[in-house]
Amino acid sequence: MKSIAILTSGGDAPGMNAAIRAVVRTALDKDLKVFGVNRGYSGLINGELFEMNRESVSDIIHRGGTILRTARCEEFKTEEGRKRAASVLKVFGIDGLVVIGGNGTFAGAQLLSKLGVKTIGLPGTIDNDLPYTDYTIGFDTALNTVLDAINKLRDTSSSHERVSIVEVMGRDCGDIALHAGVGGGAEFVILPEKGYNEEEICKNILQGKVKGKLHSLIIMAEGVGGTDELANKIEEVTGIETRATKLGHIQRGGSPSAFDRVLASRMGYKAVELLCQGKTSKVLGMKNGKIFDMDINEALEVPRSFDEELYTISKIISN
Ligand code: ATP
């Protein structure tokens, strides 16, 4: 292994820069040439590569987003597109590629490895929707961003004795909503993995008022949808003013948390180590505090599990 490249793909996540920095610095320490690829697989196909040095990654560990930009690329889903990407890497003399992204990015890396490019994937997505790993890079930061917003909403909604519904990211995976609900002391969490019952929510809000609760906080994952409709329904049934707030893309930005920076640094280092050992078609994850690697196909097949215990806790301690 003489030269490697790195790219970020899919949705951006805080901590991607820390991972890029770790990959570049580890590669340089091993006397490898390292190239950055701009705009994910799209930039790879178009030859948007540039050689990186230690200064290329100075002063980025604390920055959200990704200095390499990110993109979604339909062309890479075709055999022809991937062949072009592989030949670009060949022209630059690159034999190993580190990709940071979600399961689509990993599926692409796995197919690229069949064309002779050694590939290693790092899980970078705020949704924490890769079941093979306990944590993805960006999840912890997004969670803290949500908690910060919840704290602010709590101040205003308790002053006005309102119900607040907060929509957070998570299309198929309710991890942000569940963890933010527990950490933010929400009365209800509404997740794609679980249904919800409007009557039950309204009843509990009214009972909470009798118990002396100043406000009620509902965290809803975007995959469930309909925050405004739910707010109208609650207001109609309970007579209590109810506001819905969508946090949206704010959740993707911001300086990465300490946890995400350390996770990204450990994974970035390990990715280069694996490439130097000749490994390919692997992804990195964290289980019980330890970094491990796994075959990409195997990782993509790990079924999603739901943390029933945390869900139960969220219900019990909000009463
Ligand atoms: P996020 O979780 O943030 O959505 P992701 O990596 O899952 O991240 P996708 O848009 O699904 O995001 O995938 C990123 C890119 O990976 C796609 O634009 C495409 O270029 C490539 N890709 C996705 N799926 C495949 C596939 N089945 N085969 C080849 N390439 C793929």
Side-chain angles (χ1 to χ4, degrees):
M1 184 75 43
K2 290 204 171 61
S3 292
I4 66 166
I6 178 163
L7 61 80
T8 49
S9 162
D12 65 312
M16 281 182 163
N17 282 329
I20 295 167
R21 174 178 177 270
V23 167
V24 171
R25 296 265 167 98
T26 308
L28 295 174
D29 183 68
K30 293 179 182 301
D31 291 325
L32 302 177
K33 269 191 173 186
V34 55
F35 290 84
V37 183
N38 280 326
R39 297 179 188 83
Y41 291 130
S42 163
L44 187 55
I45 289 174
N46 296 324
E48 294 182 53
L49 281 74
F50 64 100
E51 192 171 344
M52 299 180 88
N53 56 33
R54 69 175 313 289
E55 283 74 36
S56 318
V57 290
S58 295
D59 231 7
I60 64 165
I61 195 164
H62 60 296
R63 282 168 53 191
T66 158
I67 60 162
L68 294 176
R69 315 289 172 246
T70 184
R72 303 196 196 263
C73 172
E74 283 305 308
E75 198 181 347
F76 195 76
K77 291 184 179 170
T78 66
E79 176 82 18
E80 202 193 336
R82 290 190 297 275
K83 278 188 177 153
R84 275 186 63 192
S87 67
V88 167
L89 289 168
K90 203 164 175 211
V91 165
F92 279 83
I94 294 164
D95 19 39
L97 177 69
V98 179
V99 301
I100 311 174
N103 40 30
T105 301
F106 289 173
Q110 204 274 332
L111 292 170
L112 189 63
S113 73
K114 291 190 172 156
L115 301 175
V117 181
K118 292 197 162 49
T119 57
I120 305 288
L122 265 58
T125 164
I126 64 164
D127 290 345
N128 211 36
D129 59 354
L130 294 166
Y132 80 89
T133 178
D134 286 347
Y135 294 104
T136 57
I137 297 166
F139 170 64
D140 184 66
T141 307
L143 193 52
N144 282 296
T145 302
V146 172
L147 286 182
D148 186 48
I150 290 175
N151 292 343
K152 288 172 176 150
L153 282 167
R154 187 184 268 280
D155 289 345
T156 168
S157 60
S158 54
S159 301
H160 286 270
E161 298 177 77
R162 267 186 203 133
V163 174
S164 285
I165 305 176
V166 182
E167 186 190 282
V168 300
M169 282 191 174
R171 277 162 301 191
D172 310 309
C173 173
D175 276 21
I176 293 182
L178 180 56
H179 287 248
V182 172
E187 272 65 32
F188 303 96
V189 289
I190 301 178
L191 312 171
E193 294 90 343
K194 298 275 172 187
Y196 72 101
N197 180 316
E198 286 176 349
E199 278 70 35
E200 192 193 334
I201 289 178
C202 293
K203 189 171 123 205
N204 286 12
I205 288 171
L206 288 169
Q207 285 173 337
K209 199 170 181 196
V210 172
K211 278 191 238 169
K213 285 198 180 208
L214 289 178
H215 67 97
S216 287
L217 178 63
I218 302 171
I219 310 290
M220 191 164 182
E222 66 179 342
V224 187
T227 43
D228 289 328
E229 290 78 2
L230 181 61
N232 290 339
K233 178 78 182 181
I234 292 172
E235 220 168 70
E236 188 188 305
V237 174
T238 66
I240 302 172
E241 187 185 23
T242 304
R243 295 277 168 87
T245 306
K246 293 184 174 65
L247 296 186
H249 282 87
I250 281 174
Q251 294 162 89
R252 284 198 188 277
S255 181
S257 66
F259 181 86
D260 277 330
R261 294 183 201 192
V262 176
L263 179 67
S265 301
R266 291 174 73 185
M267 287 183 167
Y269 166 82
K270 185 84 178 166
V272 180
E273 289 259 288
L274 290 178
L275 284 176
C276 289
Q277 290 162 14
K279 301 263 176 70
T280 184
S281 200
K282 301 274 182 200
V283 285
L284 290 169
M286 180 191 250
K287 267 268 175 284
N288 304 320
K290 297 254 183 304
I291 305 295
F292 69 96
D293 62 87
M294 195 181 214
D295 180 76
I296 295 183
N297 271 341
E298 244 178 77
L300 290 175
E301 275 164 24
V302 173
R304 186 159 292 161
S305 63
F306 180 72
D307 194 340
E308 289 289 347
E309 189 179 43
L310 193 57
Y311 187 59
T312 304
I313 291 170
S314 80
K315 288 202 207 168
I316 290 176
I317 65 176
S318 61
N319 266 324

PDB file of all heavy atoms in Angstrom, residues 9-11 41 72-73 76-77 82 101-105 107-108 111 125 129 171, ligand 1:
ATOM      1  N   SER A   9     -19.547  10.773   2.102  1.00  0.00           N
ATOM      2  CA  SER A   9     -20.660  10.520   1.182  1.00  0.00           C
ATOM      3  C   SER A   9     -21.985  10.423   1.953  1.00  0.00           C
ATOM      4  O   SER A   9     -21.990  10.145   3.148  1.00  0.00           O
ATOM      5  CB  SER A   9     -20.337   9.218   0.445  1.00  0.00           C
ATOM      6  OG  SER A   9     -21.445   8.634  -0.153  1.00  0.00           O
ATOM      7  N   GLY A  10     -23.097  10.677   1.263  1.00  0.00           N
ATOM      8  CA  GLY A  10     -24.409  10.649   1.929  1.00  0.00           C
ATOM      9  C   GLY A  10     -24.603  11.921   2.741  1.00  0.00           C
ATOM     10  O   GLY A  10     -24.026  12.960   2.436  1.00  0.00           O
ATOM     11  N   GLY A  11     -25.394  11.845   3.789  1.00  0.00           N
ATOM     12  CA  GLY A  11     -25.632  13.027   4.639  1.00  0.00           C
ATOM     13  C   GLY A  11     -24.401  13.365   5.460  1.00  0.00           C
ATOM     14  O   GLY A  11     -23.681  12.468   5.881  1.00  0.00           O
ATOM     15  N   TYR A  41     -18.711  10.009  -4.082  1.00  0.00           N
ATOM     16  CA  TYR A  41     -18.496   9.160  -5.263  1.00  0.00           C
ATOM     17  C   TYR A  41     -18.593   9.963  -6.562  1.00  0.00           C
ATOM     18  O   TYR A  41     -17.978   9.599  -7.565  1.00  0.00           O
ATOM     19  CB  TYR A  41     -19.510   8.013  -5.288  1.00  0.00           C
ATOM     20  CG  TYR A  41     -19.292   6.992  -4.198  1.00  0.00           C
ATOM     21  CD1 TYR A  41     -20.324   6.570  -3.367  1.00  0.00           C
ATOM     22  CD2 TYR A  41     -18.027   6.425  -3.996  1.00  0.00           C
ATOM     23  CE1 TYR A  41     -20.119   5.624  -2.366  1.00  0.00           C
ATOM     24  CE2 TYR A  41     -17.802   5.483  -2.993  1.00  0.00           C
ATOM     25  CZ  TYR A  41     -18.858   5.092  -2.194  1.00  0.00           C
ATOM     26  OH  TYR A  41     -18.643   4.162  -1.206  1.00  0.00           O
ATOM     27  N   ARG A  72     -24.647  12.901  -3.190  1.00  0.00           N
ATOM     28  CA  ARG A  72     -25.259  11.618  -3.542  1.00  0.00           C
ATOM     29  C   ARG A  72     -25.052  11.464  -5.049  1.00  0.00           C
ATOM     30  O   ARG A  72     -25.089  12.448  -5.777  1.00  0.00           O
ATOM     31  CB  ARG A  72     -26.735  11.604  -3.154  1.00  0.00           C
ATOM     32  CG  ARG A  72     -26.908  11.903  -1.653  1.00  0.00           C
ATOM     33  CD  ARG A  72     -28.255  11.548  -1.132  1.00  0.00           C
ATOM     34  NE  ARG A  72     -28.491  12.178   0.168  1.00  0.00           N
ATOM     35  CZ  ARG A  72     -28.315  11.582   1.345  1.00  0.00           C
ATOM     36  NH1 ARG A  72     -27.919  10.325   1.414  1.00  0.00           N
ATOM     37  NH2 ARG A  72     -28.556  12.228   2.472  1.00  0.00           N
ATOM     38  N   CYS A  73     -24.766  10.258  -5.492  1.00  0.00           N
ATOM     39  CA  CYS A  73     -24.359  10.074  -6.896  1.00  0.00           C
ATOM     40  C   CYS A  73     -25.040   8.847  -7.507  1.00  0.00           C
ATOM     41  O   CYS A  73     -24.708   7.710  -7.172  1.00  0.00           O
ATOM     42  CB  CYS A  73     -22.827   9.917  -6.928  1.00  0.00           C
ATOM     43  SG  CYS A  73     -22.173   9.470  -8.538  1.00  0.00           S
ATOM     44  N   PHE A  76     -22.860   6.280  -9.636  1.00  0.00           N
ATOM     45  CA  PHE A  76     -22.037   5.284  -8.956  1.00  0.00           C
ATOM     46  C   PHE A  76     -22.814   3.984  -8.712  1.00  0.00           C
ATOM     47  O   PHE A  76     -22.219   2.933  -8.470  1.00  0.00           O
ATOM     48  CB  PHE A  76     -21.512   5.850  -7.629  1.00  0.00           C
ATOM     49  CG  PHE A  76     -20.394   5.052  -7.049  1.00  0.00           C
ATOM     50  CD1 PHE A  76     -19.107   5.139  -7.562  1.00  0.00           C
ATOM     51  CD2 PHE A  76     -20.619   4.187  -5.981  1.00  0.00           C
ATOM     52  CE1 PHE A  76     -18.069   4.382  -7.027  1.00  0.00           C
ATOM     53  CE2 PHE A  76     -19.580   3.436  -5.439  1.00  0.00           C
ATOM     54  CZ  PHE A  76     -18.308   3.539  -5.969  1.00  0.00           C
ATOM     55  N   LYS A  77     -24.126   4.071  -8.805  1.00  0.00           N
ATOM     56  CA  LYS A  77     -24.932   2.864  -8.608  1.00  0.00           C
ATOM     57  C   LYS A  77     -24.884   1.963  -9.836  1.00  0.00           C
ATOM     58  O   LYS A  77     -25.358   0.835  -9.819  1.00  0.00           O
ATOM     59  CB  LYS A  77     -26.383   3.246  -8.294  1.00  0.00           C
ATOM     60  CG  LYS A  77     -26.525   3.895  -6.932  1.00  0.00           C
ATOM     61  CD  LYS A  77     -27.982   4.162  -6.611  1.00  0.00           C
ATOM     62  CE  LYS A  77     -28.110   4.785  -5.228  1.00  0.00           C
ATOM     63  NZ  LYS A  77     -29.457   5.279  -4.966  1.00  0.00           N
ATOM     64  N   ARG A  82     -19.003   2.836 -11.525  1.00  0.00           N
ATOM     65  CA  ARG A  82     -17.999   2.314 -10.583  1.00  0.00           C
ATOM     66  C   ARG A  82     -16.703   1.968 -11.312  1.00  0.00           C
ATOM     67  O   ARG A  82     -15.614   2.153 -10.774  1.00  0.00           O
ATOM     68  CB  ARG A  82     -18.545   1.095  -9.833  1.00  0.00           C
ATOM     69  CG  ARG A  82     -19.634   1.449  -8.835  1.00  0.00           C
ATOM     70  CD  ARG A  82     -19.968   0.282  -7.945  1.00  0.00           C
ATOM     71  NE  ARG A  82     -20.515  -0.857  -8.668  1.00  0.00           N
ATOM     72  CZ  ARG A  82     -21.805  -0.999  -8.985  1.00  0.00           C
ATOM     73  NH1 ARG A  82     -22.688  -0.083  -8.655  1.00  0.00           N
ATOM     74  NH2 ARG A  82     -22.218  -2.082  -9.636  1.00  0.00           N
ATOM     75  N   GLY A 101     -19.640   7.363   5.655  1.00  0.00           N
ATOM     76  CA  GLY A 101     -21.035   7.586   5.273  1.00  0.00           C
ATOM     77  C   GLY A 101     -21.951   6.566   5.931  1.00  0.00           C
ATOM     78  O   GLY A 101     -21.585   5.934   6.933  1.00  0.00           O
ATOM     79  N   GLY A 102     -23.109   6.374   5.324  1.00  0.00           N
ATOM     80  CA  GLY A 102     -24.092   5.440   5.865  1.00  0.00           C
ATOM     81  C   GLY A 102     -24.173   4.169   5.042  1.00  0.00           C
ATOM     82  O   GLY A 102     -23.237   3.846   4.294  1.00  0.00           O
ATOM     83  N   ASN A 103     -25.303   3.455   5.136  1.00  0.00           N
ATOM     84  CA  ASN A 103     -25.328   2.136   4.487  1.00  0.00           C
ATOM     85  C   ASN A 103     -25.271   2.186   2.959  1.00  0.00           C
ATOM     86  O   ASN A 103     -24.711   1.280   2.353  1.00  0.00           O
ATOM     87  CB  ASN A 103     -26.475   1.239   4.990  1.00  0.00           C
ATOM     88  CG  ASN A 103     -27.741   1.983   5.205  1.00  0.00           C
ATOM     89  OD1 ASN A 103     -27.976   2.966   4.514  1.00  0.00           O
ATOM     90  ND2 ASN A 103     -28.555   1.552   6.155  1.00  0.00           N
ATOM     91  N   GLY A 104     -25.789   3.253   2.341  1.00  0.00           N
ATOM     92  CA  GLY A 104     -25.657   3.382   0.888  1.00  0.00           C
ATOM     93  C   GLY A 104     -24.187   3.499   0.494  1.00  0.00           C
ATOM     94  O   GLY A 104     -23.720   2.839  -0.457  1.00  0.00           O
ATOM     95  N   THR A 105     -23.472   4.326   1.232  1.00  0.00           N
ATOM     96  CA  THR A 105     -22.038   4.519   0.981  1.00  0.00           C
ATOM     97  C   THR A 105     -21.286   3.190   1.128  1.00  0.00           C
ATOM     98  O   THR A 105     -20.399   2.863   0.328  1.00  0.00           O
ATOM     99  CB  THR A 105     -21.488   5.558   1.989  1.00  0.00           C
ATOM    100  OG1 THR A 105     -22.223   6.768   1.801  1.00  0.00           O
ATOM    101  CG2 THR A 105     -20.001   5.803   1.806  1.00  0.00           C
ATOM    102  N   ALA A 107     -22.590   0.148   0.771  1.00  0.00           N
ATOM    103  CA  ALA A 107     -22.968  -0.753  -0.340  1.00  0.00           C
ATOM    104  C   ALA A 107     -22.106  -0.423  -1.566  1.00  0.00           C
ATOM    105  O   ALA A 107     -21.620  -1.321  -2.262  1.00  0.00           O
ATOM    106  CB  ALA A 107     -24.449  -0.594  -0.655  1.00  0.00           C
ATOM    107  N   GLY A 108     -21.901   0.869  -1.807  1.00  0.00           N
ATOM    108  CA  GLY A 108     -21.064   1.298  -2.928  1.00  0.00           C
ATOM    109  C   GLY A 108     -19.619   0.849  -2.752  1.00  0.00           C
ATOM    110  O   GLY A 108     -18.981   0.364  -3.700  1.00  0.00           O
ATOM    111  N   LEU A 111     -19.140  -2.856  -3.507  1.00  0.00           N
ATOM    112  CA  LEU A 111     -19.118  -3.159  -4.946  1.00  0.00           C
ATOM    113  C   LEU A 111     -17.816  -2.689  -5.582  1.00  0.00           C
ATOM    114  O   LEU A 111     -17.260  -3.350  -6.465  1.00  0.00           O
ATOM    115  CB  LEU A 111     -20.322  -2.502  -5.638  1.00  0.00           C
ATOM    116  CG  LEU A 111     -21.676  -3.104  -5.248  1.00  0.00           C
ATOM    117  CD1 LEU A 111     -22.827  -2.261  -5.778  1.00  0.00           C
ATOM    118  CD2 LEU A 111     -21.787  -4.542  -5.779  1.00  0.00           C
ATOM    119  N   THR A 125     -23.086   9.090  10.291  1.00  0.00           N
ATOM    120  CA  THR A 125     -24.486   9.480  10.094  1.00  0.00           C
ATOM    121  C   THR A 125     -25.092   9.829  11.449  1.00  0.00           C
ATOM    122  O   THR A 125     -24.866   9.108  12.426  1.00  0.00           O
ATOM    123  CB  THR A 125     -25.298   8.355   9.394  1.00  0.00           C
ATOM    124  OG1 THR A 125     -26.686   8.622   9.560  1.00  0.00           O
ATOM    125  CG2 THR A 125     -25.009   6.977   9.928  1.00  0.00           C
ATOM    126  N   ASP A 129     -28.336   4.763  12.534  1.00  0.00           N
ATOM    127  CA  ASP A 129     -29.177   3.717  11.941  1.00  0.00           C
ATOM    128  C   ASP A 129     -28.375   2.579  11.321  1.00  0.00           C
ATOM    129  O   ASP A 129     -28.829   1.940  10.373  1.00  0.00           O
ATOM    130  CB  ASP A 129     -30.133   4.338  10.906  1.00  0.00           C
ATOM    131  CG  ASP A 129     -29.388   5.069   9.787  1.00  0.00           C
ATOM    132  OD1 ASP A 129     -28.152   5.202   9.868  1.00  0.00           O
ATOM    133  OD2 ASP A 129     -30.051   5.493   8.818  1.00  0.00           O
ATOM    134  N   ARG A 171     -35.622   8.788  10.118  1.00  0.00           N
ATOM    135  CA  ARG A 171     -36.707   8.329   9.241  1.00  0.00           C
ATOM    136  C   ARG A 171     -37.217   6.956   9.652  1.00  0.00           C
ATOM    137  O   ARG A 171     -38.396   6.747   9.841  1.00  0.00           O
ATOM    138  CB  ARG A 171     -36.225   8.279   7.783  1.00  0.00           C
ATOM    139  CG  ARG A 171     -36.289   9.610   7.087  1.00  0.00           C
ATOM    140  CD  ARG A 171     -35.419   9.619   5.862  1.00  0.00           C
ATOM    141  NE  ARG A 171     -34.028   9.334   6.223  1.00  0.00           N
ATOM    142  CZ  ARG A 171     -32.991   9.468   5.415  1.00  0.00           C
ATOM    143  NH1 ARG A 171     -33.179   9.840   4.189  1.00  0.00           N
ATOM    144  NH2 ARG A 171     -31.776   9.210   5.832  1.00  0.00           N
TER     145      ARG A 171
HETATM  146  P1  ATP B   1     -27.198   8.610   4.966  1.00  0.00           P
HETATM  147  O1  ATP B   1     -27.419   7.595   6.058  1.00  0.00           O
HETATM  148  O2  ATP B   1     -26.742   9.902   5.481  1.00  0.00           O
HETATM  149  O3  ATP B   1     -28.357   8.705   4.007  1.00  0.00           O
HETATM  150  P2  ATP B   1     -25.893   6.957   3.009  1.00  0.00           P
HETATM  151  O4  ATP B   1     -24.474   6.616   2.769  1.00  0.00           O
HETATM  152  O5  ATP B   1     -26.816   5.808   3.340  1.00  0.00           O
HETATM  153  O6  ATP B   1     -25.928   8.076   4.118  1.00  0.00           O
HETATM  154  P3  ATP B   1     -27.034   7.207   0.363  1.00  0.00           P
HETATM  155  O7  ATP B   1     -27.554   8.402  -0.361  1.00  0.00           O
HETATM  156  O8  ATP B   1     -27.935   6.041   0.540  1.00  0.00           O
HETATM  157  O9  ATP B   1     -26.477   7.764   1.774  1.00  0.00           O
HETATM  158  O10 ATP B   1     -25.717   6.689  -0.384  1.00  0.00           O
HETATM  159  C1  ATP B   1     -24.674   7.573  -0.689  1.00  0.00           C
HETATM  160  C2  ATP B   1     -24.156   7.256  -2.061  1.00  0.00           C
HETATM  161  O11 ATP B   1     -23.639   5.922  -2.069  1.00  0.00           O
HETATM  162  C3  ATP B   1     -25.199   7.266  -3.163  1.00  0.00           C
HETATM  163  O12 ATP B   1     -25.455   8.556  -3.655  1.00  0.00           O
HETATM  164  C4  ATP B   1     -24.543   6.385  -4.214  1.00  0.00           C
HETATM  165  O13 ATP B   1     -23.568   7.092  -4.908  1.00  0.00           O
HETATM  166  C5  ATP B   1     -23.861   5.329  -3.345  1.00  0.00           C
HETATM  167  N1  ATP B   1     -24.732   4.154  -3.214  1.00  0.00           N
HETATM  168  C6  ATP B   1     -25.831   4.020  -2.459  1.00  0.00           C
HETATM  169  N2  ATP B   1     -26.405   2.808  -2.607  1.00  0.00           N
HETATM  170  C7  ATP B   1     -25.639   2.158  -3.512  1.00  0.00           C
HETATM  171  C8  ATP B   1     -25.703   0.874  -4.120  1.00  0.00           C
HETATM  172  N3  ATP B   1     -26.661  -0.002  -3.811  1.00  0.00           N
HETATM  173  N4  ATP B   1     -24.753   0.551  -5.012  1.00  0.00           N
HETATM  174  C9  ATP B   1     -23.762   1.413  -5.330  1.00  0.00           C
HETATM  175  N5  ATP B   1     -23.650   2.643  -4.806  1.00  0.00           N
HETATM  176  C10 ATP B   1     -24.562   3.018  -3.909  1.00  0.00           C
END
